[in-house]
Amino acid sequence: MKIAKNTVVTVNYKLSDAQDNLIEDGRQPMVYLHGGYENTLPKIEEELDGKEVGYSSIIQIEPEDAFGEYDAALVKVEPRNRLPEPLEVGMQFEGTPDSDSDDEALIFTVTDIADDKVVLDGNHPLAGMALRFSLEVAEVREATEEEIAHGHVHGAHGHHHGHDDDEGEEGDHVAIHPIH
């Protein structure tokens, strides 16, 4: 079966930077719904469109087609008392770049802690980097009607719709909260 819109694609991959330094070894395959559902980078979809099981390729994706250029304006220094304790470098919080902003929420990563100040970076960790993907198509199948309706893969390596982990009503969120 050829990869086309509304197929579920399983891809074994390795992700490196442009200098071939390994970023992610892809121990778990990437499984995504093909056809513009934003489940993977558009350049990966472009490369794999029309291909079949066994196809392999190495592609380089520039920052503007991956996670964007690094934006220094998304690095914020905040008073430590605005964030929960215990606080560690690497922790992530959801928030908006400016407190009076209607911007979409971003994930901010704690990159430095000094006395009473914390540095938060709202850039994606791979922002500003050219990325090299080694791809090998392992499986292609037709998507189910439910997967197409939901816009993502269900089942193994996909998304699950559990109802026991609901976390409150819509709108029941704080401006900044821990991710993990």
Side-chain angles (χ1 to χ4, degrees), residues 105-149:
L106 298 173
I107 303 299
F108 286 86
T109 303
V110 176
T111 58
D112 196 17
I113 302 170
D115 300 323
D116 61 344
K117 301 284 187 208
V118 177
V119 179
L120 300 172
D121 189 344
N123 287 285
H124 187 283
L126 301 177
M129 294 176 66
L131 302 173
R132 190 168 291 160
F133 286 87
S134 173
L135 306 167
E136 182 184 349
V137 178
E139 185 181 344
V140 181
R141 67 169 173 83
E142 285 188 36
T144 65
E145 287 180 24
E146 184 180 37
E147 289 170 326
I148 294 166

Side-chain angles (χ1 to χ4, degrees), residues 15-155:
L15 171 61
S16 305
D17 63 16
Q19 290 74 43
D20 253 351
N21 297 308
L22 187 66
I23 295 170
E24 191 173 314
D25 67 5
R27 280 184 222 158
Q28 293 290 323
M30 171 175 51
V31 182
Y32 75 95
L33 179 58
H34 190 86
Y37 293 97
E38 298 181 0
N39 294 172
T40 190
L41 297 172
K43 291 289 185 187
I44 291 176
E45 281 205 356
E46 237 175 72
E47 177 68 21
L48 298 180
D49 197 56
K51 306 303 189 283
E52 297 179 275
V53 170
Y55 175 79
S56 64
S57 176
I58 297 175
I59 61 171
Q60 183 162 311
I61 302 176
E62 296 305 316
E64 60 271 14
D65 293 319
F67 297 100
E69 295 294 342
Y70 189 85
D71 183 354
L74 293 178
V75 177
K76 307 291 181 188
V77 177
E78 294 289 333
R80 185 174 182 152
N81 63 9
R82 285 200 63 222
L83 300 164
E85 294 289 342
L87 191 62
E88 297 175 14
V89 170
M91 291 178 79
Q92 294 183 314
F93 299 90
E94 184 175 12
T96 52
D98 299 305
S99 57
D100 59 347
S101 159
D102 287 335
D103 289 339
E104 211 173 286
L106 298 173
I107 303 299
F108 286 86
T109 303
V110 176
T111 58
D112 196 17
I113 302 170
D115 300 323
D116 61 344
K117 301 284 187 208
V118 177
V119 179
L120 300 172
D121 189 344
N123 287 285
H124 187 283
L126 301 177
M129 294 176 66
L131 302 173
R132 190 168 291 160
F133 286 87
S134 173
L135 306 167
E136 182 184 349
V137 178
E139 185 181 344
V140 181
R141 67 169 173 83
E142 285 188 36
T144 65
E145 287 180 24
E146 184 180 37
E147 289 170 326
I148 294 166
H150 291 179
H152 57 250
V153 176
H154 292 170

